[in-house]
Amino acid sequence: STGDLVFTAHWEQSRYTINTTVENGSASANEVVTVTHGDSLTISFTANSGFALDSVTVDGKTASLTNGKYTFDKITEHHSIHVVYSADNNQDGKPDKYQATVTYNVVNGSLAAGVKSEYVFNLKTYNDGLWVPAEPRLGDTLPTVANGSLLAAEGYDGSGYWWENISADTPVTDD
């Protein structure tokens, strides 16, 4: 008598890698993580002290983090994520390279009490993973005699003026 033969085909579930790189910060995941087909993976990112989020790239395309995290849902292929944090010396959560500082120096006079002499303007704002131009203007930061924020020193009079031709409508640039 002959025996029955049974043949079994076996497939292994597909596995994929997620490559994570971070500049000036850290990630909750290892540099390379292997996941199974259909899995999801959430990675948390944290800037080093003195740095702020600059850019996020997933598979070579601009992306963004949500509350410092990125989630790969229902993974069906290999992925990579690259997160860059840039210097943020004034600790305001925005990279310094997208900001300009305007300083008002007064000669033969002073700024009124409580008037700041230095302002930081955002030249770009973060929108859906991209830094886009903000086009800021001096606006109400500009001290003037008319608004009482620019005062002449004793023995000086006149209207008080800025040597440069500036107004509230003067754009702030990185020049």
Side-chain angles (χ1 to χ4, degrees), residues 111-138:
L111 296 172
V115 175
K116 296 186 337 182
S117 63
E118 189 172 284
Y119 294 85
V120 175
F121 290 86
N122 295 314
L123 301 176
K124 295 186 178 188
T125 57
Y126 195 72
N127 185 7
D128 290 331
L130 296 173
W131 287 96
V132 294
E135 302 177 7
R137 308 245 176 230
L138 291 178

Side-chain angles (χ1 to χ4, degrees), residues 108 152-157:
N108 300 324
E154 186 175 337
Y156 288 85
D157 59 10

